[in-house]
Each structure stands twice: as structure tokens, then as C-alpha cells.
Amino acid sequence: MKTSSNHLFRRAGVSLLALAAVASALAFTFVLNDKTGLPSKWPAGSIPVKIMLGSTTTLSDGSTYNSSAAAAALAWNVAIGSAQIQTTVATGSAGDNNDLNEMVFADKVYGKDFEANVLAVTTGWSRGNERTEGDVIFNSAKVWDSYRGATRSAVDLQRVAIHELGHLLGLDHPDEKGQSVSAIMNSHISSIDALTQDDVSGAQSLYGPPGIPANDAFANAEVITLSATGTVTKNGVNTNATKETGEPSHAINGGPSQTANSGGRSVWWRWTAPSAGNVTLDTRGSYFDTLLAVYTGTALANLVSVASSDDIDPGVVQASTVTFTVTGGTTYRFAVDGFNNADGKGADSAGITLNLAFTSTGIAVPVITTQPVSVTVNTGVSTSFSVVATSTATLTYQWLFNGTAITGATNATYNLSSVTTAQGGTYSVTVTNSAGSVTSDGATLTVNTPAPTPAPVSSGGGGGGGGAPSLWFCAVLAALGLARFLRRNSP
Ligand SMILES: [Ca+2]
Ligand SMILES: [Ca+2]
Ligand SMILES: [Ca+2]
Ligand SMILES: [Ca+2]
Ligand SMILES: [Zn+2]
């Protein structure tokens, strides 16, 4: 859910003083929407930026101010998925709140003096969680150049541009949140002249990595394993995810003030409940306005809605939560999508945190520890399939042939004597206790008809002519040869 008011925030720039701290954990921070607590970031698509720094001066690395700043934008673009900074070169001066993102040299920030030692300032306008404008103003009182490595008396424009474009994207200073990391987003300029892992992780939390997430499609849902009372947290992104044909809108049962939202960038997880119990599922910790829905069913065409949610607290806590009871052995499908505010840029997207908490209220369904194994045999021989399952309750078994129950095949091992080719196919077994059932993987029985074994052709010279001998004729020749051999060795 979105608010409609515009508000201005400003970020202080880079100071010339002090050294950057040395690295440890990942600890990126964001400029937040103070109403929702979510990061203020750009919607999916391109972020147009007009670079108006000049192209006449050749700098130490061979670039110009304009091309050095364009390279800074490219450094971010290759790291992020849902938005791209699209630079164009222009001339003129910047305007505040003019719906244009501009990079300029100036001696003031829209009438305000630069604070002491500040190299640059990035302004920001936002609406709800979304950025709408940002200008980068480089302090024209400083001497600027473009180079890599240790800092010199002239300031490297490119690393300052990378830093300020990080603010434009929505990142803040990790070192000002008491965190000690190696980052170009730290508040003080240093020998760090490119993005670090921390900078990239922060940006990817907002915009995802390049590419489409592996669990975009319903059929490619990521499996969650939680086989007893407990909790599990999964992380993902819905950056560049899509809505499939026939896919429902996910928060249609979102609550009294929450109506169905079209979403459009869904990703999927699935989890099989180990026993009857109660579940709480939420998206707290995600970096965007999520939608969450729970279903049963094996395909988009036969989904049954179990629960869904848009906002925990409409418009304020925009993460989603649902509680529901589960049946042991049933597989539940979880869709996480982004709220779509109809801005023409599709559903919101960014990093996802999905928290599953399960409390078992019954005995667990059987767990198959050894699956039946495929075999290949000749006709007429005997074979068997076996399963091993564990359970705290009494187990029963039912073997299936090509999905159909086999009469009387109700033990852990199913024996087949003197198999025929008609018995070739897929065998599986459903193991049941009082909590529910679980069906094994299918094992294949392949039945071969043995080819006749060719008997040795006599080498005694008596064969001669007449084409391929029949089986019987060969046997006679072999017997005759054996008889001759015995006679020769008789005393
Ligand atoms: Ca502007
Ligand atoms: Ca999808
Ligand atoms: Ca929401
Ligand atoms: Ca949108
Ligand atoms: Zn800064």
C-alpha cells in the first residue's frame, strides 16, 4: 500500500577527513521510508540520469568528467537486476524537484552552502517507498580528477560518483550505523575506488541480481524442509519474476481493508507438512511491499486457496503474514509477490525473507528412508521391491503398479515370481499411519525376453554347407563331437 505525499530527504556527502574502517560482516544500510520502515528505492525499469559535468578536460585516467561519471553508473548496473541507471550527457544546470535526475558541479546545494569538507550531496524525492528524483551535486570548490588507487590531493570523481549513485539507488552509510565494513558506501572517502561485496549485497537487496529467479514458475517452487516443530527462514528475490498464464492474484483474502492486488512478480516455495499442526508464515524482513498466499494443489489450474495476506498493518507494516492449520502429508504452495501500485512499472520487487513456523499437533506421517529400487530381469525369474519407512505409529503398505493398487500387495516387500513382460512398468508403494500417507518414488521393472543362446558350431569338419543350422541340428553336432571325444580317450 502506498501513501501519496512527496517528501524530500537529503544525504550528506563524502567528507575528506578520516579513514575508512576495515571490513568484517555484511552490514549495508538503506535510506528508509519513515512511515513503512521499508527502503526508498526506484521502481523496476530505467533510472534516467543527465550527466552535466563537462567533456572538455582530459583527466589522469584518460576520461572526462562526463565519461568518468558514466563509468560509475555502469559499475552499479552490472551488479543489479530490476533497475538500470541510464545516463545521457547534457549541458546546463540542475533543478530541484523538476522530475529530472541530474549530476552537476555547483558551489551550493540549491542555495544552501556545502558543509565543511563535503565533496558532494545527493538529493532525493520519494513517494511512498519509491524514489522519484535524485540529483548529485559535486562541490565545485574542490579540485577534481579521475584515477584509481590511493587518494591524491585532487579528488577522484569516479569513486565519489559511485558513492553518490549508491545514495541515489537508496543505500546509506554503513559506518554511520556503527558497522565496520569495507564499503565505498562508508561516509568517508578512502582508497576504496570500486564496489565491494557489501555494496553489491546492499544494492542487490533492493534491486536483486541480474537475471530471473529460479523459483519464478509454480513448477519450479523451491522446496522447504521442516520435518518437526520448529522454524525455518528462506531468502530469495522476486526481481524480474513474472506472473504465469492462469496464475491467480495472490492477496484476494487479504483482510477487510485489503483487496486483491494484481501483483505480477511472483516466486514460489513448497513445503510438505510432516504432521497435523499450526503454521505461521510471514515475509517480515523483506525489502518491499509483499503479497503472500498459500495454496494446495499440484498445478496452477487446480489451486485451492488456504490463506493470503497483503499488509500486516495496512499501509504501515507492508510485510504479510498468515496463520493456518495443516494436514500431515499435504504439500502447501507459498507464493510471494509484490504489491502493484498501478504506476505502469509493475509489481514491487526486491529481496525476500520468508519465515515459516510450525507447531506439530499430531503424530508425524511416515518418512520413507529407503526408496524402492528399479530392476531389470529376464522373463520367468523372481524379483521383489522393498521400502523402508519410519513412524512412531503402526504402518500399513499398499503397492501400486502404474499407479493402481495391487490386490494383496500390502507388505513392506512385494514379491513377484516368474515375471512376464506384462509385469514390466512402474511400481510404487503408499505407506500409511494414523496421521496420513506418503507414497514412494516409482521404481521401474524392466523385463527382457532372453535371446536363444547360440550353441558352438562343430569344428570337426563335419558341418559343411547348407546355410545356418537350426538349434536342434547344432545340439546334435555338439553331442556327436562330445561322443567322439569320449571314445578317443577311452582305454
Ligand atoms: Ca533534478
Ligand atoms: Ca512467477
Ligand atoms: Ca503488503
Ligand atoms: Ca509499481
Ligand atoms: Zn554519502
Side-chain angles (χ1 to χ4, degrees), residues 11-14 120 122 163-164 167 171-173 176 184-188:
R11 300 307 317 160
V14 180
T122 299
H163 178 99
E164 299 302 326
H167 288 320
L171 297 177
D172 208 341
H173 300 146
E176 289 185 341
I184 207 165
M185 291 314 299
N186 280 333
S187 59
H188 299 105

Side-chain angles (χ1 to χ4, degrees), residues 19-21 29 173-181 185-188:
L19 295 169
T29 58
H173 300 146
D175 59 338
E176 289 185 341
K177 299 284 158 59
Q179 296 163 351
S180 177
V181 293
M185 291 314 299
N186 280 333
S187 59
H188 299 105

Side-chain angles (χ1 to χ4, degrees), residues 81-118:
S82 67
Q84 294 278 285
I85 302 167
Q86 190 176 63
T87 59
T88 52
V89 169
T91 54
S93 55
D96 195 24
N97 195 19
N98 64 351
D99 287 333
L100 297 173
N101 311 312
E102 295 150 310
M103 297 181 94
V104 292
F105 287 115
D107 59 0
K108 285 187 177 355
V109 182
Y110 299 122
K112 272 193 69 178
D113 288 335
F114 279 94
E115 289 171 42
N117 297 321
V118 168

